[in-house]
Amino acid sequence: MIDIKEFTRRRKHLMQDMGKDSIAILPTAGEQVRNRDVNYAFRPDSDFLYLTGFWEPEAVLVLIPGRKHGEYVLFCREKDETQEIWHGRRAGQEEVLEAFGADDSFPITDIDDILLGLMENKTRVFYTMGIHADFDQRLTGWVNQLKQKVRMGVNAPGEFVALDHLLHEMRLFKSATEIKMMKKAASLSCKAHERLIKICQPEMMEYQLEAEFVHECMFNGCRDLAYPSIVAAGKNACILHYTENNSALKDGVLVLVDAGGEYQGYASDITRTYPVNGRFSVEQKALYELVLEAQLAAIDMVYPGSHWNAPHEEAVKVITRGLVRLGLLKGRVDKLIKDEAYKPFYMHRTGHWLGLDVHDVGDYKVDNEWRMLEPGMVLTVEPGIYTGDNRKIAKKWRNIGIRIEDDLRVTRTGHEVLTIKAPKTVAQIEAAMALLAITPVAEARANTINDDKATMQTQTLQTEAYS
Ligand code: GLY
Ligand code: MN
Ligand code: MN
């Protein structure tokens, strides 16, 4: 758990950067309807969560540096016995003061009157436009109301400043406690990936691997996943954000699993690719070893003083050279790189920041130059090769999609791979897959095939598992 003192430190830091005569306003995310009266699981907005740790909808954080009656104001829902019986607990104003360290708290229903007063005579408003359209409009309304009071001696704020810049720069550098949370998300997710590798069998469905991943993460304490899992077998792996997950895992193809648990709001983001039947074919192995070589070379470029794009440049170099070696590209490597000839095979970038959001916040360039890596930053390294239905290459190479993705933190001397425990080399994967784990999934899969065959298959699986 992130303790209350850390949230206080974060708010103080932000208020110092904001300066006097200013006010910051941050609404959290709202409930999202899934269908009719069913909502998606609630997840606070990450900026709001970072500054409050408060996990309820209908709340607005207001920071007013130097305010005598308290700098940290939280608007939230009032206690309500009936609502709480039906829908769950609400902290209410008192608890927000005691447990969340707010200096002042008001019912969210009073925001129109109270926020207006808090904004009076402030010069600068820190706010992120464009996320909550309805709140943008209300804020404009409040400013206009203040402008109408000019003759009564009230000054309306004249300057709107994007909050993103200050706040996202803070979020980019993870504290020791944040790293602890991210390590936990990473290690639980590694365990889940390892389990999938061990139970994967031909004729299972993609969604059965997905279900195992969810089970393993949640069972061990992740209350949600950081993003919808991609479980893509065979040619599905060439669709980068495939999430249908409803095909069978055919004998002889690879399956790509891009999935990560979220722990206390912090994301992990891991991809592993492996042969459904436990053995790589010659072509699969050649491409896999190439992606792995690119990933390891990219990981070597993660250290303080290296720049953001260095891992990507390294991955592109290795992949292009390798594609030429395998006869999938023809020409001089440097010219092919310059012409971006690798792009039909490798069309995405090599990583992104990671934190409370899977594609976390923070600038990638500073003054139009790639930014330097510094201790405390956390990023993914995730090269891939996707051959697709490319008619320019021999049939045996087509429709193979491979990505290998790890999460790294930049340390003072280099980096630490947070996701090292998920099997990654050909030898590790083939060894893990040789040990068949008997699970409810194996049984359920057998049951879906057909009755007689199913019984036999379950028995065989059990015999193999125990032999
Ligand atoms: N899971 C999304 C990504 O790897 O960026
Ligand atoms: Mn990623
Ligand atoms: Mn991913």
Side-chain angles (χ1 to χ4, degrees):
M1 282 276 283
I2 310 264
D3 79 23
I4 190 167
K5 286 197 202 116
E6 179 152 345
F7 289 110
T8 308
R9 268 199 303 277
R10 293 172 184 176
R11 290 189 298 268
K12 290 247 178 272
H13 183 159
L14 178 63
M15 284 193 276
Q16 250 168 23
D17 289 352
M18 286 164 58
K20 282 233 161 62
D21 297 328
S22 60
I23 180 167
I25 303 169
L26 271 100
T28 191
E31 298 261 31
Q32 300 290 325
V33 175
R34 178 179 180 275
N35 58 300
R36 199 163 157 80
D37 57 353
V38 178
N39 290 341
Y40 287 104
F42 173 72
R43 164 65 157 78
D45 170 84
S46 297
D47 283 341
F48 179 91
L49 185 61
Y50 180 78
L51 292 171
T52 62
F54 191 65
W55 203 285
E56 280 186 32
E58 297 181 68
V60 176
L61 160 70
V62 180
L63 294 175
I64 313 139
R67 178 175 175 253
K68 275 212 190 75
H69 303 295
E71 298 180 308
Y72 168 27
V73 180
L74 193 57
F75 292 88
C76 64
R77 301 179 300 189
E78 282 181 278
K79 298 286 291 174
D80 180 321
E81 207 175 319
T82 313
Q83 288 295 323
E84 289 186 58
I85 286 171
W86 280 89
H87 302 296
R89 293 195 186 89
R90 295 173 170 202
Q93 282 65 52
E94 254 172 61
E95 195 180 321
V96 156
L97 301 184
E98 282 159 23
F100 292 89
D103 298 318
D104 229 345
S105 178
F106 303 99
I108 188 73
T109 42
D110 293 349
I111 195 167
D112 278 322
D113 296 331
I114 292 170
L115 192 54
L116 208 61
L118 296 174
M119 284 167 72
E120 270 186 21
N121 299 322
K122 297 287 173 290
T123 349
R124 239 166 302 134
V125 178
F126 286 84
Y127 178 74
T128 308
M129 284 277 179
I131 298 179
H132 307 289
D134 51 341
F135 202 88
D136 292 357
Q137 273 191 348
R138 290 176 74 188
L139 189 60
T140 314
W142 292 323
V143 173
N144 287 337
Q145 280 185 50
L146 285 176
K147 280 184 183 163
Q148 285 162 11
K149 289 193 183 177
V150 175
R151 263 168 278 138
M152 294 155 72
V154 171
N155 281 328
E159 214 181 311
F160 274 78
V161 187
L163 185 60
D164 301 27
H165 189 69
L166 297 181
L167 189 53
H168 293 179
E169 194 62 18
M170 287 170 59
R171 278 180 54 190
L172 179 57
F173 294 89
K174 274 68 181 175
S175 70
T177 325
E178 289 185 290
I179 294 292
K180 240 191 233 170
M181 301 296 133
M182 295 194 74
K183 282 189 171 178
K184 184 86 178 176
S187 73
L188 294 180
S189 305
C190 281
K191 232 175 120 197
H193 273 282
E194 187 174 5
R195 179 170 172 84
L196 263 57
I197 290 171
K198 285 182 173 163
I199 61 155
C200 178
Q201 291 286 304
E203 292 312 319
M204 272 177 81
M205 299 299 286
E206 291 168 340
Y207 57 72
Q208 289 180 314
L209 284 186
E210 182 184 6
E212 279 294 318
F213 193 86
V214 174
H215 168 84
E216 190 70 20
C217 284
M218 277 204 187
F219 194 84
N220 291 306
C222 291
R223 297 293 285 109
D224 211 335
L225 299 186
Y227 55 93
S229 304
I230 297 168
V231 182
K235 65 179 180 188
N236 295 341
C238 298
I239 303 168
L240 298 180
H241 288 159
Y242 173 84
T243 49
E244 289 164 55
N245 301 355
N246 58 3
S247 299
L249 310 183
K250 294 286 177 211
D251 198 348
V253 304
L254 296 178
V255 60
L256 178 157
V257 180
D258 183 344
E262 182 182 272
Y263 188 77
Q264 304 273 327
Y266 287 87
S268 66
D269 183 8
I270 307 175
T271 309
R272 289 293 183 265
T273 310
Y274 36 96
V276 163
N277 64 14
R279 306 287 297 180
F280 286 88
S281 73
V282 173
E283 288 77 22
Q284 289 166 353
K285 186 169 170 183
L287 289 176
Y288 188 88
E289 298 277 27
L290 179 52
V291 176
L292 184 58
E293 185 192 343
Q295 203 228 15
L296 296 176
I299 286 176
D300 275 348
M301 298 309 292
V302 177
Y303 53 84
S306 182
H307 65 81
W308 167 259
N309 208 39
H312 181 64
E313 287 168 3
E314 206 57 29
V316 163
K317 234 184 269 172
V318 173
I319 285 175
T320 309
R321 201 170 56 210
L323 290 172
V324 171
R325 196 170 62 222
L326 297 174
L328 297 171
L329 278 179
K330 288 191 184 20
R332 267 189 21 231
V333 172
D334 50 355
K335 172 108 176 36
L336 292 169
I337 292 175
K338 195 162 159 272
D339 296 343
E340 299 186 333
Y342 56 86
K343 276 208 168 158
F345 298 96
Y346 181 33
M347 58 297 279
H348 60 78
R349 295 190 51 82
T350 302
H352 49 83
W353 304 128
L354 185 72
L356 283 169
D357 291 308
V358 61
H359 295 157
D360 207 35
V361 294
D363 292 334
Y364 291 96
K365 279 190 168 178
V366 174
D367 296 332
N368 223 21
E369 298 284 341
W370 292 114
R371 101 179 276 158
M372 292 288 172
L373 297 179
E374 294 177 55
M377 294 171 164
V378 179
L379 64 150
T380 67
V381 176
E382 50 176 306
I385 291 179
Y386 315 87
T387 59
D389 202 16
N390 187 338
R391 300 296 155 129
K392 291 186 188 154
I393 60 175
K395 214 168 177 181
K396 62 180 184 177
W397 295 108
R398 289 183 203 160
N399 291 317
I400 297 175
I402 298 166
R403 178 163 65 256
I404 307 173
E405 175 173 29
D406 281 306
D407 305 342
L408 279 78
R409 85 176 165 102
V410 184
T411 61
R412 276 192 300 143
T413 52
H415 61 252
E416 181 186 7
V417 180
L418 307 180
T419 46
I420 199 83
K421 290 255 172 73
K424 185 160 80 165
T425 64
V426 167
Q428 284 168 350
I429 287 171
E430 290 190 344
M433 296 190 82
L435 301 167
L436 181 66
I438 184 71
T439 66
V441 169
E443 266 189 40
R445 174 178 67 78
N447 290 336
T448 58
I449 298 171
N450 74 44
D451 291 349
D452 288 353
K453 216 166 119 198
T455 318
M456 281 169 53
Q457 196 141 1
T458 309
Q459 280 165 358
T460 317
L461 291 174
Q462 276 165 347
T463 319
E464 280 170 11
Y466 294 122
S467 62

Coordinates of all heavy atoms in Angstrom, one line a residue, residues 348-393:
H348 N 5.6 -1.3 -35.2 CA 5.4 -0.5 -34.0 C 6.7 -0.1 -33.3 O 7.8 -0.6 -33.8 CB 4.5 -1.3 -33.0 CG 5.0 -2.6 -32.5 ND1 5.9 -2.7 -31.5 CD2 4.6 -3.8 -32.8 CE1 6.1 -4.0 -31.3 NE2 5.4 -4.7 -32.1
R349 N 6.6 0.6 -32.3 CA 7.8 1.1 -31.6 C 8.2 0.1 -30.5 O 7.5 -0.9 -30.2 CB 7.7 2.5 -31.1 CG 7.5 3.5 -32.3 CD 7.6 4.9 -31.8 NE 8.8 5.1 -31.1 CZ 10.0 5.4 -31.6 NH1 10.2 5.4 -32.9 NH2 11.0 5.5 -30.8
T350 N 9.4 0.3 -30.0 CA 10.0 -0.8 -29.1 C 9.5 -0.7 -27.6 O 9.8 -1.5 -26.8 CB 11.5 -0.8 -29.2 OG1 11.8 -1.0 -30.6 CG2 12.2 -1.9 -28.4
G351 N 8.8 0.4 -27.3 CA 8.3 0.4 -25.9 C 7.6 1.7 -25.6 O 7.3 2.5 -26.4
H352 N 7.3 1.9 -24.3 CA 6.5 3.0 -23.8 C 6.8 3.1 -22.3 O 7.2 2.1 -21.7 CB 5.0 2.9 -24.1 CG 4.4 1.6 -23.7 ND1 4.0 1.3 -22.5 CD2 4.3 0.4 -24.5 CE1 3.6 0.0 -22.5 NE2 3.7 -0.5 -23.7
W353 N 6.5 4.2 -21.7 CA 6.6 4.4 -20.2 C 5.5 3.5 -19.6 O 4.4 3.2 -20.2 CB 6.3 5.8 -19.8 CG 7.2 6.9 -20.3 CD1 6.8 8.0 -20.9 CD2 8.6 6.9 -20.3 NE1 7.9 8.8 -21.3 CE2 9.0 8.1 -20.9 CE3 9.6 6.0 -19.9 CZ2 10.4 8.5 -21.1 CZ3 11.0 6.4 -20.0 CH2 11.3 7.6 -20.6
L354 N 5.7 3.0 -18.4 CA 4.8 2.2 -17.7 C 4.6 2.7 -16.3 O 5.6 3.1 -15.6 CB 5.4 0.7 -17.7 CG 4.5 -0.4 -17.1 CD1 3.3 -0.7 -18.1 CD2 5.3 -1.7 -16.9
G355 N 3.4 2.6 -15.8 CA 3.1 3.1 -14.4 C 1.7 2.8 -14.0 O 1.2 1.7 -14.2
L356 N 1.0 3.9 -13.5 CA -0.4 3.7 -13.2 C -1.2 3.4 -14.5 O -2.2 2.7 -14.4 CB -0.9 5.0 -12.5 CG -0.6 5.1 -11.1 CD1 -0.9 6.5 -10.6 CD2 -1.2 4.1 -10.2
D357 N -0.7 3.9 -15.6 CA -1.3 3.6 -16.9 C -0.4 2.7 -17.6 O 0.8 2.8 -17.5 CB -1.6 4.9 -17.7 CG -2.7 5.8 -17.1 OD1 -3.8 5.2 -16.9 OD2 -2.4 6.9 -16.9
V358 N -1.0 1.8 -18.4 CA -0.1 0.9 -19.2 C 0.7 1.7 -20.2 O 1.9 1.4 -20.3 CB -0.9 -0.3 -19.8 CG1 -1.9 0.1 -20.8 CG2 0.1 -1.3 -20.4
H359 N 0.1 2.6 -20.9 CA 0.9 3.5 -21.7 C 1.0 4.7 -20.9 O 0.1 5.6 -20.9 CB 0.2 3.8 -23.1 CG 0.1 2.5 -23.9 ND1 -0.8 2.4 -24.9 CD2 0.9 1.4 -23.9 CE1 -0.6 1.2 -25.5 NE2 0.4 0.6 -24.9
D360 N 2.0 4.8 -20.0 CA 2.0 5.8 -19.0 C 2.4 7.2 -19.5 O 2.9 7.3 -20.6 CB 3.0 5.3 -17.9 CG 2.6 5.9 -16.5 OD1 1.4 6.0 -16.2 OD2 3.5 6.2 -15.7
V361 N 2.2 8.1 -18.6 CA 2.5 9.5 -19.0 C 3.9 9.9 -18.9 O 4.7 9.2 -18.3 CB 1.6 10.4 -18.1 CG1 0.1 10.2 -18.3 CG2 2.0 10.2 -16.6
G362 N 4.3 11.0 -19.5 CA 5.7 11.5 -19.5 C 6.1 11.8 -20.9 O 5.7 11.1 -21.8
D363 N 6.9 12.9 -21.1 CA 7.3 13.2 -22.4 C 8.4 12.3 -22.9 O 9.2 11.8 -22.1 CB 7.9 14.6 -22.4 CG 6.8 15.7 -22.2 OD1 5.6 15.4 -22.5 OD2 7.1 16.8 -21.6
Y364 N 8.4 12.0 -24.2 CA 9.4 11.2 -24.8 C 10.5 12.0 -25.4 O 11.6 11.6 -25.7 CB 8.8 10.3 -25.9 CG 7.9 9.2 -25.3 CD1 6.5 9.4 -25.2 CD2 8.5 8.0 -24.8 CE1 5.7 8.4 -24.7 CE2 7.7 7.0 -24.2 CZ 6.3 7.2 -24.1 OH 5.5 6.3 -23.6
K365 N 10.2 13.3 -25.7 CA 11.2 14.2 -26.2 C 11.2 15.5 -25.4 O 10.2 15.9 -24.8 CB 10.8 14.7 -27.7 CG 11.2 13.6 -28.7 CD 11.0 14.2 -30.1 CE 11.7 13.3 -31.1 NZ 11.5 13.8 -32.5
V366 N 12.4 16.1 -25.2 CA 12.5 17.3 -24.5 C 13.2 18.3 -25.5 O 14.3 17.9 -26.0 CB 13.3 17.2 -23.2 CG1 13.6 18.5 -22.6 CG2 12.6 16.2 -22.3
D367 N 12.7 19.4 -25.7 CA 13.2 20.4 -26.7 C 13.5 19.7 -28.0 O 14.6 19.9 -28.7 CB 14.5 21.0 -26.2 CG 14.3 21.9 -25.0 OD1 13.2 22.4 -24.8 OD2 15.2 22.0 -24.1
N368 N 12.6 18.9 -28.4 CA 12.6 18.2 -29.7 C 13.7 17.1 -29.8 O 14.0 16.7 -30.9 CB 12.7 19.2 -30.9 CG 11.8 18.8 -32.0 OD1 10.9 18.0 -31.8 ND2 12.1 19.3 -33.2
E369 N 14.4 16.8 -28.7 CA 15.4 15.7 -28.7 C 14.8 14.6 -27.9 O 14.2 14.8 -26.9 CB 16.7 16.2 -28.1 CG 17.3 17.4 -28.7 CD 18.1 17.0 -30.0 OE1 18.4 15.8 -30.1 OE2 18.3 17.9 -30.8
W370 N 15.2 13.3 -28.3 CA 14.8 12.2 -27.5 C 15.3 12.4 -26.1 O 16.4 12.8 -25.9 CB 15.4 10.9 -28.0 CG 14.7 10.5 -29.4 CD1 15.4 10.5 -30.6 CD2 13.4 10.2 -29.6 NE1 14.5 10.1 -31.5 CE2 13.3 9.9 -31.0 CE3 12.3 10.0 -28.8 CZ2 12.1 9.5 -31.6 CZ3 11.1 9.6 -29.4 CH2 11.0 9.4 -30.8
R371 N 14.5 12.1 -25.1 CA 14.9 12.4 -23.7 C 15.8 11.3 -23.2 O 15.8 10.2 -23.6 CB 13.7 12.6 -22.8 CG 13.2 11.6 -21.9 CD 12.1 12.0 -21.1 NE 12.4 12.7 -19.9 CZ 11.6 13.5 -19.2 NH1 10.4 13.7 -19.7 NH2 12.0 14.1 -18.1
M372 N 16.7 11.8 -22.3 CA 17.7 10.9 -21.6 C 16.9 10.0 -20.6 O 16.0 10.4 -19.9 CB 18.7 11.6 -20.9 CG 19.6 12.5 -21.7 SD 20.7 11.3 -22.6 CE 21.5 12.5 -23.7
L373 N 17.4 8.7 -20.5 CA 16.8 7.8 -19.5 C 17.5 8.2 -18.2 O 18.7 8.5 -18.1 CB 17.1 6.4 -19.9 CG 16.4 5.9 -21.2 CD1 16.8 4.5 -21.5 CD2 14.9 6.1 -21.1
E374 N 16.7 8.2 -17.1 CA 17.2 8.5 -15.8 C 16.7 7.5 -14.8 O 15.6 6.9 -15.0 CB 16.7 9.9 -15.4 CG 17.2 11.0 -16.2 CD 16.6 12.4 -15.8 OE1 16.7 12.7 -14.6 OE2 16.0 13.0 -16.7
P375 N 17.4 7.3 -13.7 CA 17.0 6.4 -12.6 C 15.5 6.7 -12.2 O 15.2 7.9 -12.0 CB 18.0 6.6 -11.5 CG 19.2 7.1 -12.1 CD 18.7 7.9 -13.3
G376 N 14.7 5.6 -12.0 CA 13.4 5.8 -11.5 C 12.3 5.7 -12.6 O 11.1 5.6 -12.3
M377 N 12.8 5.8 -13.9 CA 11.8 5.7 -15.0 C 11.5 4.2 -15.2 O 12.4 3.3 -14.9 CB 12.4 6.2 -16.3 CG 12.6 7.7 -16.2 SD 13.6 8.2 -17.7 CE 13.2 10.0 -17.7
V378 N 10.3 3.9 -15.6 CA 10.0 2.4 -15.9 C 9.4 2.4 -17.3 O 8.6 3.2 -17.7 CB 9.0 1.9 -14.9 CG1 8.6 0.4 -15.2 CG2 9.5 2.0 -13.4
L379 N 9.9 1.4 -18.1 CA 9.5 1.4 -19.5 C 9.4 -0.1 -19.9 O 9.9 -1.0 -19.2 CB 10.5 2.1 -20.4 CG 11.9 1.5 -20.4 CD1 12.6 1.8 -21.7 CD2 12.8 2.2 -19.3
T380 N 8.7 -0.3 -21.1 CA 8.7 -1.7 -21.6 C 9.7 -1.7 -22.8 O 10.0 -0.7 -23.4 CB 7.3 -2.0 -22.2 OG1 7.1 -1.2 -23.3 CG2 6.2 -1.8 -21.2
V381 N 10.2 -2.9 -23.1 CA 11.0 -3.2 -24.3 C 10.3 -4.4 -25.0 O 10.2 -5.5 -24.4 CB 12.4 -3.5 -23.9 CG1 13.2 -3.9 -25.1 CG2 13.1 -2.4 -23.2
E382 N 9.8 -4.1 -26.2 CA 8.9 -5.1 -26.8 C 8.9 -5.2 -28.3 O 7.9 -4.9 -29.0 CB 7.4 -4.8 -26.4 CG 7.0 -3.3 -26.6 CD 5.5 -3.1 -26.2 OE1 4.7 -3.8 -26.7 OE2 5.3 -2.2 -25.4
P383 N 10.1 -5.5 -28.8 CA 10.1 -5.7 -30.3 C 9.3 -6.9 -30.8 O 9.0 -7.8 -29.9 CB 11.6 -5.9 -30.6 CG 12.1 -6.5 -29.3 CD 11.3 -5.9 -28.2
G384 N 9.0 -6.9 -32.1 CA 8.3 -8.1 -32.6 C 8.5 -8.2 -34.1 O 9.1 -7.3 -34.7
I385 N 8.1 -9.3 -34.6 CA 8.1 -9.6 -36.1 C 6.7 -10.2 -36.4 O 6.3 -11.1 -35.7 CB 9.2 -10.5 -36.5 CG1 10.6 -9.8 -36.3 CG2 9.0 -10.9 -38.0 CD1 11.8 -10.7 -36.7
Y386 N 6.1 -9.6 -37.4 CA 4.8 -10.1 -37.9 C 4.8 -10.2 -39.4 O 4.9 -9.2 -40.1 CB 3.7 -9.0 -37.4 CG 3.9 -8.5 -36.0 CD1 4.8 -7.4 -35.8 CD2 3.3 -9.2 -34.9 CE1 5.0 -7.0 -34.5 CE2 3.5 -8.7 -33.6 CZ 4.4 -7.7 -33.4 OH 4.6 -7.2 -32.1
T387 N 4.8 -11.5 -39.8 CA 5.0 -11.7 -41.3 C 3.7 -11.5 -42.0 O 3.7 -11.2 -43.2 CB 5.6 -13.1 -41.6 OG1 4.7 -14.1 -41.0 CG2 6.9 -13.3 -40.9
G388 N 2.5 -11.8 -41.4 CA 1.2 -11.6 -42.1 C 1.1 -12.5 -43.3 O 1.9 -13.4 -43.5
D389 N 0.2 -12.0 -44.2 CA -0.1 -12.8 -45.4 C 0.8 -12.2 -46.5 O 0.3 -11.9 -47.6 CB -1.6 -12.8 -45.7 CG -2.0 -13.9 -46.6 OD1 -1.2 -14.9 -46.7 OD2 -3.0 -13.8 -47.2
N390 N 2.0 -12.0 -46.3 CA 2.9 -11.3 -47.1 C 3.3 -12.2 -48.4 O 4.0 -13.2 -48.2 CB 4.2 -10.9 -46.3 CG 5.1 -10.0 -47.1 OD1 5.1 -10.0 -48.3 ND2 6.0 -9.3 -46.3
R391 N 2.8 -11.8 -49.6 CA 3.0 -12.6 -50.8 C 4.5 -12.5 -51.3 O 4.8 -13.2 -52.2 CB 2.1 -12.2 -51.9 CG 0.6 -12.3 -51.5 CD 0.3 -13.8 -51.3 NE -0.8 -14.0 -50.4 CZ -1.9 -14.7 -50.7 NH1 -2.0 -15.4 -51.7 NH2 -2.9 -14.8 -49.8
K392 N 5.2 -11.6 -50.7 CA 6.6 -11.4 -51.2 C 7.5 -12.4 -50.5 O 8.7 -12.5 -50.9 CB 7.1 -10.0 -50.9 CG 6.4 -9.0 -51.7 CD 7.0 -7.6 -51.5 CE 6.2 -6.5 -52.1 NZ 6.4 -5.2 -51.5
I393 N 7.0 -13.2 -49.5 CA 7.9 -14.1 -48.9 C 7.4 -15.5 -49.1 O 6.2 -15.7 -49.3 CB 8.1 -13.8 -47.4 CG1 6.7 -13.8 -46.7 CG2 8.7 -12.4 -47.2 CD1 6.8 -13.6 -45.2

